[in-house]
């Protein structure tokens, strides 16, 4: 008689459990997941606190790190498609800074190994470290950075104009004329001939650095930046110098 009272459509499986629930996890796994999330939240909170403290102290300025004067963030300010180019240009500027320092040290060694013109080389090379590093950042790196950030053609043309001067300066430094503050080819060959190995090696490194500057500056001047600036000028005419493209 009990068989006739049973629901023939009833499932033999219990419906107490939700079939869409995640399978039960071991308690150890749940604890590790909670701890991982807590550590991630603490890390993010620490980063936010550091950024907030930095903004309270310096505003949004974050560059240079030892005395922030401007805000510089390729990741935050440059469109994603242009970030590799601007990153390479920033790296090129860092190579320039390193080359200027190596050139100065090489001229310092020349000063102690060669009495003719060594003082002029040392003085000029020290001046280059401060003058060229600052002006190159302000006159060709920052304009191309602003050009891609703000999409204003004026910045592109500033970059091309002063980038041309940088190209000429790099060629000048490659030659290495004595008493000009350059440890380029002529100075390096002199150091090798006179067996002043330390000065010769540093001069070689400096010369390679200037060659890198010249090659990359020339390559980039004929690359995507010029094409973009030409397109803006063709589309917007003279107002592209002063308005957004």
């Amino acid at each position: 008689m009990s068989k006739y009272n049973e629901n023939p459509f009833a499932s033999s499986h219990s419906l107490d459990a939700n079939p869409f629930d995640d399978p039960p996890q071991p308690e150890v796994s749940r604890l590790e997941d909670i701890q991982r999330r807590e550590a991630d939240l603490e890390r993010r909170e620490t980063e936010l606190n550091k950024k907030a403290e930095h903004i309270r102290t310096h505003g949004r300025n974050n560059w240079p790190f030892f005395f922030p004067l401007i805000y510089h963030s390729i990741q935050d300010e440059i469109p994603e498609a242009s970030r590799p180019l601007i990153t390479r240009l920033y790296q090129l500027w860092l190579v320039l800074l390193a080359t200027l320092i190596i050139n100065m040290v090489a001229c310092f060694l020349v000063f102690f190994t060669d009495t003719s013109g060594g003082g002029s080389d040392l003085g000029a090379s020290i001046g280059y470290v401060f003058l060229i590093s600052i002006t190159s950042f302000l006159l060709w790196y920052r304009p191309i950075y602003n050009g891609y950030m703000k999409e204003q053609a004026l910045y592109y043309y500033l970059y091309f104009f002063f980038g041309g001067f940088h190209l000429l300066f790099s060629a000048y430094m490659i030659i290495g004329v004595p008493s000009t503050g350059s440890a380029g080819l002529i100075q390096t060959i002199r150091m090798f001939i006179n067996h002043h190995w330390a000065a010769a090696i540093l001069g070689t490194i400096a010369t390679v650095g200037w060659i890198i500057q010249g090659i990359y500056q020339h390559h980039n001047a004929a690359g995507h930046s010029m094409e973009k600036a030409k397109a803006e000028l063709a589309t917007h005419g003279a107002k592209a110098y002063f308005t957004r493209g």
Side-chain angles (χ1 to χ4, degrees):
M1 192 68 182
S2 60
K3 290 183 179 180
Y4 294 102
N5 292 331
E6 292 179 358
N7 185 350
F9 300 102
S11 172
S12 59
H13 301 287
S14 174
L15 295 177
D16 293 337
N18 187 341
F20 299 103
D21 282 344
D22 293 332
Q25 297 180 353
E27 290 299 322
V28 175
S29 177
R30 289 179 179 272
L31 181 61
E32 290 177 351
D33 185 57
I34 293 172
Q35 290 175 341
R36 183 170 59 253
R37 292 181 182 182
E38 288 179 349
D40 186 56
L41 289 173
E42 290 178 359
R43 178 183 59 79
R44 293 182 182 182
E45 183 179 3
T46 301
E47 290 177 355
L48 290 174
N49 289 337
K50 287 182 179 179
K51 289 182 179 179
E53 180 62 28
H54 186 277
I55 291 174
R56 281 194 296 269
T57 306
H58 304 289
R60 293 192 73 211
N61 297 340
N62 65 350
W63 193 95
F65 68 90
F66 53 86
F67 191 76
L69 295 173
I70 62 174
Y71 183 75
H72 178 269
S73 176
I74 296 173
Q75 185 68 26
D76 295 330
E77 294 189 307
I78 304 299
E80 184 176 358
S82 304
R83 287 173 195 166
L85 173 63
I86 300 302
T87 299
R88 288 194 298 271
L89 285 170
Y90 182 58
Q91 292 169 345
L92 182 69
W93 183 83
L94 293 176
V95 170
L96 170 63
L97 182 60
T99 302
L100 288 167
I101 294 172
I102 293 171
N103 180 78
M104 180 189 67
V105 176
C107 288
F108 180 79
L109 296 176
V110 170
F111 175 74
F112 287 102
T113 57
D114 184 11
T115 57
S116 61
S120 300
D121 281 319
L122 179 58
S125 66
I126 293 173
Y128 291 154
V129 171
F130 296 98
L131 179 64
I132 301 302
S133 61
I134 294 172
T135 55
S136 62
F137 185 89
L138 295 177
L139 297 180
W140 66 258
Y141 172 70
R142 194 64 183 181
I144 195 65
Y145 181 97
N146 287 337
Y148 276 93
M149 176 178 66
K150 301 179 180 180
E151 291 295 331
Q152 292 180 343
L154 174 63
Y155 289 111
Y156 295 114
Y157 285 94
L158 286 174
Y159 166 72
F160 298 135
F161 181 76
F162 290 106
F165 279 103
H166 179 62
L167 180 60
L168 292 175
F169 179 76
S170 297
Y172 167 77
M173 295 297 284
I174 289 171
I175 297 172
V177 178
S179 302
T180 62
S182 169
L185 284 173
I186 296 176
Q187 288 278 43
T188 300
I189 292 172
R190 290 177 61 197
M191 293 301 103
F192 272 117
I193 291 174
N194 295 323
H195 305 294
H196 301 307
W197 303 114
I201 292 172
L202 287 176
T204 301
I205 296 173
T207 302
V208 171
W210 293 119
I211 292 173
I212 292 173
Q213 294 291 316
I215 290 175
Y216 194 87
Q217 196 73 26
H218 173 74
H219 169 75
N220 194 68
H224 300 295
S225 299
M226 178 62 79
E227 292 174 3
K228 188 166 187 176
K230 285 181 178 179
E232 285 195 1
L233 187 61
T235 303
H236 302 284
K239 71 176 184 179
Y241 280 94
F242 307 104
T243 61
R244 292 182 65 88

